[in-house]
């Protein structure tokens, strides 16, 4: 039993420098020297089609409401409110994630059909003054993203750096499954 306590003590001392993998939800209130955020370019997945949705109903004092009807005169408004709230949550979580880094936050961008609605895409390209819109208007080209991030890097006097990923042509994914 004493050996077990000694092993546990040794592990606790060495775990302080270990890599920790946490969800953004679990990281709230914590701080780390370096934070990697590989998926801020992609919004939270929302199911296609008509499924029951939750939202805060402004007609009922913002009471949390679940619409299971999937149709009716208010269905479209309820679905839109649900989408706005989900995109707002994406933005809140992006803020939490970005503010966990003590020294460095590392992000990636990959342009996909839905990346225009991601928190990162909207922060960069879907703003009305200081406000961030709940949806993006179009997925920006890689060159536009690179230019926008480079502009941000210049404005922050080097606090933001931008690097293009370098991939050898034979390493590019061609969509085929490899055994």
């Amino acid at each position: 039993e004493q050996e077990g306590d000694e092993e546990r003590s040794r592990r606790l001392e060495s775990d302080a420098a270990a890599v920790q993998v946490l969800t953004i939800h679990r990281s709230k209130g914590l701080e780390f020297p370096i934070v990697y955020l590989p998926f801020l370019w992609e919004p939270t997945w929302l199911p296609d089609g008509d499924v029951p949705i939750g939202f805060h109903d402004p007609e009922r004092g913002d009471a949390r409401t679940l619409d299971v009807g999937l149709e009716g005169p208010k269905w479209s408004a309820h679905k839109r409110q649900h989408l706005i709230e989900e995109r707002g949550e994406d933005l809140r979580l992006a803020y939490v994630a970005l503010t966990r880094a003590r020294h460095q936050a590392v992000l990636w961008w990959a342009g996909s059909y839905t990346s225009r609605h991601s928190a990162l895409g909207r922060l960069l390209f879907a703003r009305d003054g200081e406000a961030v819109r709940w949806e993006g208007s179009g997925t920006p080209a890689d060159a536009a993203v690179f230019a926008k991030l480079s502009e941000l890097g210049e404005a922050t006097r080097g606090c933001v750096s931008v690097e293009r990923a370098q991939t050898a042509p034979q390493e590019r994914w061609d969509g085929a499954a490899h055994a």
Side-chain angles (χ1 to χ4, degrees):
E1 183 138 347
Q2 187 176 4
E3 288 178 19
D5 290 341
E6 186 177 320
E7 176 64 30
R8 186 174 331 135
S9 176
R10 221 182 357 243
R11 194 182 81 231
L12 288 174
E13 289 173 11
S14 63
D15 281 353
V19 171
Q20 297 179 39
V21 177
L22 300 175
T23 64
I24 296 172
H25 294 88
R26 283 200 57 212
S27 71
K28 186 176 179 184
L30 301 175
E31 190 176 66
F32 304 94
I34 300 171
V35 174
Y36 292 94
L37 303 164
F39 300 111
L40 284 186
W41 57 270
E42 190 68 11
T44 298
W45 177 81
L46 298 173
D48 290 334
D50 293 335
V51 296
I53 53 168
F55 64 99
H56 293 88
D57 191 347
E59 294 180 6
R60 296 181 49 230
D62 287 331
R64 183 79 176 144
T65 304
L66 183 63
D67 188 332
V68 297
L70 311 181
E71 60 183 35
K74 295 188 177 183
W75 171 250
S76 293
H78 293 171
K79 194 169 181 177
R80 184 174 194 270
Q81 182 65 27
H82 169 75
L83 184 58
I84 290 169
E85 289 180 21
E86 290 298 318
R87 295 299 177 237
E89 179 67 2
D90 281 354
L91 198 59
R92 185 190 74 76
L93 289 172
Y95 170 81
V96 167
L98 288 166
T99 57
R100 300 307 92 206
R102 189 176 310 132
H103 304 295
Q104 181 181 30
V106 180
L107 326 161
W108 285 261
W109 174 266
S112 70
Y113 178 74
T114 58
S115 61
R116 63 184 153 170
H117 301 308
S118 70
L120 183 56
R122 292 181 297 126
L123 280 167
L124 294 172
F125 295 100
R127 298 177 75 115
D128 293 324
E130 292 297 311
V132 177
R133 293 192 305 267
W134 67 273
E135 66 178 345
S137 57
T139 301
D142 288 347
V145 175
F146 189 79
K148 186 73 161 183
L149 291 171
S150 295
E151 177 185 309
L152 183 60
E154 290 173 18
T156 61
R157 297 187 193 137
C159 289
V160 173
S161 74
V162 182
E163 298 176 25
R164 288 186 185 267
Q166 300 298 319
T167 306
Q170 69 273 15
E171 293 176 1
R172 291 182 189 266
W173 182 64
D174 62 6
H178 297 288

